[in-house]
Amino acid sequence: MTEAAAPRPVRVLLADDQPLLRTGFRMVLGVEDDLDIVGEAGDGVEAVELSRRLLPDVVLMDIRMPRMDGVAATRAIVDARLPVRVLVLTTFELDEYVVGALRAGASGFLAKDVPAEDLVTAIRTVAAGEAVVAPRILRRLLDRFADVLPDPAAVPPPVLDPLTEREREVLVQVARGLSNAEIARALSVSETTVKTHVGHMLTKLRLRDRVQAVVLAYETGLVRPGK
């Protein structure tokens, strides 16, 4: 019998202006059989150029780089409709660029001191089409801006009108960080049903992924930090 072909490794582009950090990431990721470092960029402009040329599955993007920062580079990659997903890393948990990066279309956001195993898992998750944000970053960011978030008692903004009641319930659970399996248990439905609702919700709100859904849920006051 013919053995099944091994899955193609996840192709990763490293984008960071510090060569030492790129070397560290290469050492961490290089030992994983299912990850393949296909290139390195020292600034945002180079990151965009290499993304166009190499078409990596995931770009590990530093938020602060010369010539073009990680937010602008992420936006350029997303606007070009490249089959490339961006996982943003930063030294600053409350970096002022966090929301900008997520709005630009980043599929994940982690602190640079994340444990190696968590970084590897995040890359695999993003490559699989999901999104990831370190809970401590999202929690502290939302707590910081809690005072400027809309009053949840106010009438929901029109942007949420296309959603059914169930889809809005699912959005709330997504914003609270629950997985599809956890949402299914909370709402007493199947995981397949939850996946369908999430897909419809993202399509109706014209969102790229769950990360942008979380940001929107807080921006509209549908949920608030700690609630």
Side-chain angles (χ1 to χ4, degrees), residues 74-107:
T74 297
R75 184 175 294 109
I77 291 170
V78 173
D79 288 348
R81 299 185 180 279
L82 300 176
V84 176
R85 299 177 70 83
V86 179
L87 177 58
V88 175
L89 296 179
T90 182
T91 306
F92 308 95
E93 289 187 11
L94 295 181
D95 195 299
E96 63 270 22
Y97 295 139
V98 173
V99 172
L102 296 178
R103 285 174 173 164
S107 297

Side-chain angles (χ1 to χ4, degrees), residues 30 37 44-45 64 72 78 98 105 109 117 128 135 143 145 152 165 172 182 188 196 205 212:
I37 309 300
V45 172
R64 295 185 175 182
V78 173
V98 173
F109 208 103
E117 59 270 25
D143 285 344
F145 292 105
E165 182 177 352
V172 169
E182 292 169 331
S188 299
T196 298
L205 298 179
Q212 291 189 329

Side-chain angles (χ1 to χ4, degrees), residues 13-81:
L13 171 66
L14 304 178
D16 196 297
D17 62 333
Q18 298 183 48
L20 186 60
L21 283 178
R22 295 202 305 271
T23 298
F25 288 139
R26 182 178 284 277
M27 292 176 62
V28 169
L29 304 180
V31 300
E32 303 295 331
D33 293 336
D34 63 335
L35 301 182
D36 183 17
I37 309 300
V38 297
E40 297 184 19
D43 59 58
V45 172
E46 189 177 11
V48 175
E49 292 175 347
L50 289 179
S51 292
R52 290 178 180 275
R53 179 156 56 88
L54 301 175
L55 294 180
D57 298 304
V58 178
V59 178
L60 205 56
M61 183 83 74
D62 184 18
I63 198 72
R64 295 185 175 182
M65 293 184 290
R67 293 211 291 169
M68 179 186 288
D69 64 35
V71 175
T74 297
R75 184 175 294 109
I77 291 170
V78 173
D79 288 348
R81 299 185 180 279

